[in-house]
mmCIF file with all atom_site columns, all heavy atoms in Angstrom:
data_model
loop_
_atom_site.group_PDB
_atom_site.id
_atom_site.type_symbol
_atom_site.label_atom_id
_atom_site.label_alt_id
_atom_site.label_comp_id
_atom_site.label_asym_id
_atom_site.label_entity_id
_atom_site.label_seq_id
_atom_site.pdbx_PDB_ins_code
_atom_site.Cartn_x
_atom_site.Cartn_y
_atom_site.Cartn_z
_atom_site.occupancy
_atom_site.B_iso_or_equiv
_atom_site.pdbx_formal_charge
_atom_site.auth_seq_id
_atom_site.auth_comp_id
_atom_site.auth_asym_id
_atom_site.auth_atom_id
_atom_site.pdbx_PDB_model_num
ATOM 1  N N   . GLY A 1 98  ? 59.430 -49.882 66.944 1.00 95.00 ? 1220 GLY A N   1
ATOM 2  C CA  . GLY A 1 98  ? 58.574 -49.856 65.765 1.00 95.00 ? 1220 GLY A CA  1
ATOM 3  C C   . GLY A 1 98  ? 59.302 -49.411 64.513 1.00 95.00 ? 1220 GLY A C   1
ATOM 4  O O   . GLY A 1 98  ? 58.940 -49.822 63.399 1.00 95.00 ? 1220 GLY A O   1
ATOM 5  N N   . VAL A 1 111 ? 54.183 -44.181 57.241 1.00 94.00 ? 1233 VAL A N   1
ATOM 6  C CA  . VAL A 1 111 ? 53.795 -44.443 58.626 1.00 94.00 ? 1233 VAL A CA  1
ATOM 7  C C   . VAL A 1 111 ? 55.009 -44.636 59.522 1.00 94.00 ? 1233 VAL A C   1
ATOM 8  O O   . VAL A 1 111 ? 55.977 -45.313 59.141 1.00 94.00 ? 1233 VAL A O   1
ATOM 9  C CB  . VAL A 1 111 ? 52.869 -45.668 58.702 1.00 94.00 ? 1233 VAL A CB  1
ATOM 10 C CG1 . VAL A 1 111 ? 52.666 -46.125 60.152 1.00 94.00 ? 1233 VAL A CG1 1
ATOM 11 C CG2 . VAL A 1 111 ? 51.518 -45.340 58.068 1.00 94.00 ? 1233 VAL A CG2 1
ATOM 12 N N   . GLU A 1 355 ? 49.728 -54.513 58.153 1.00 91.00 ? 1477 GLU A N   1
ATOM 13 C CA  . GLU A 1 355 ? 49.909 -53.447 59.126 1.00 91.00 ? 1477 GLU A CA  1
ATOM 14 C C   . GLU A 1 355 ? 49.613 -53.936 60.537 1.00 91.00 ? 1477 GLU A C   1
ATOM 15 O O   . GLU A 1 355 ? 50.301 -53.592 61.498 1.00 91.00 ? 1477 GLU A O   1
ATOM 16 C CB  . GLU A 1 355 ? 48.991 -52.265 58.792 1.00 91.00 ? 1477 GLU A CB  1
ATOM 17 C CG  . GLU A 1 355 ? 49.330 -51.546 57.499 1.00 91.00 ? 1477 GLU A CG  1
ATOM 18 C CD  . GLU A 1 355 ? 50.655 -50.824 57.583 1.00 91.00 ? 1477 GLU A CD  1
ATOM 19 O OE1 . GLU A 1 355 ? 50.820 -49.984 58.473 1.00 91.00 ? 1477 GLU A OE1 1
ATOM 20 O OE2 . GLU A 1 355 ? 51.547 -51.123 56.754 1.00 91.00 ? 1477 GLU A OE2 1
ATOM 21 N N   . ALA A 1 371 ? 58.857 -51.108 76.811 1.00 96.00 ? 1493 ALA A N   1
ATOM 22 C CA  . ALA A 1 371 ? 58.033 -50.153 76.077 1.00 96.00 ? 1493 ALA A CA  1
ATOM 23 C C   . ALA A 1 371 ? 56.569 -50.342 76.454 1.00 96.00 ? 1493 ALA A C   1
ATOM 24 O O   . ALA A 1 371 ? 56.141 -51.430 76.842 1.00 96.00 ? 1493 ALA A O   1
ATOM 25 C CB  . ALA A 1 371 ? 58.205 -50.341 74.570 1.00 96.00 ? 1493 ALA A CB  1
ATOM 26 N N   . LEU A 1 409 ? 73.554 -38.932 72.904 1.00 74.00 ? 1531 LEU A N   1
ATOM 27 C CA  . LEU A 1 409 ? 73.273 -37.621 72.326 1.00 74.00 ? 1531 LEU A CA  1
ATOM 28 C C   . LEU A 1 409 ? 72.267 -36.779 73.097 1.00 74.00 ? 1531 LEU A C   1
ATOM 29 O O   . LEU A 1 409 ? 71.758 -35.800 72.568 1.00 74.00 ? 1531 LEU A O   1
ATOM 30 C CB  . LEU A 1 409 ? 72.761 -37.805 70.878 1.00 74.00 ? 1531 LEU A CB  1
ATOM 31 C CG  . LEU A 1 409 ? 73.680 -38.575 69.939 1.00 74.00 ? 1531 LEU A CG  1
ATOM 32 C CD1 . LEU A 1 409 ? 73.047 -38.691 68.564 1.00 74.00 ? 1531 LEU A CD1 1
ATOM 33 C CD2 . LEU A 1 409 ? 75.041 -37.893 69.833 1.00 74.00 ? 1531 LEU A CD2 1
ATOM 34 N N   . GLN A 1 506 ? 4.392  -49.687 47.353 1.00 89.00 ? 1628 GLN A N   1
ATOM 35 C CA  . GLN A 1 506 ? 4.489  -49.788 45.897 1.00 89.00 ? 1628 GLN A CA  1
ATOM 36 C C   . GLN A 1 506 ? 5.498  -50.860 45.543 1.00 89.00 ? 1628 GLN A C   1
ATOM 37 O O   . GLN A 1 506 ? 6.535  -50.984 46.207 1.00 89.00 ? 1628 GLN A O   1
ATOM 38 C CB  . GLN A 1 506 ? 4.964  -48.452 45.282 1.00 89.00 ? 1628 GLN A CB  1
ATOM 39 C CG  . GLN A 1 506 ? 4.054  -47.282 45.528 1.00 89.00 ? 1628 GLN A CG  1
ATOM 40 C CD  . GLN A 1 506 ? 4.573  -46.050 44.821 1.00 89.00 ? 1628 GLN A CD  1
ATOM 41 O OE1 . GLN A 1 506 ? 4.379  -45.877 43.615 1.00 89.00 ? 1628 GLN A OE1 1
ATOM 42 N NE2 . GLN A 1 506 ? 5.248  -45.184 45.559 1.00 89.00 ? 1628 GLN A NE2 1
#
Side-chain angles (χ1 to χ4, degrees):
V1233 169
E1477 293 293 303
L1531 304 179
Q1628 299 183 80

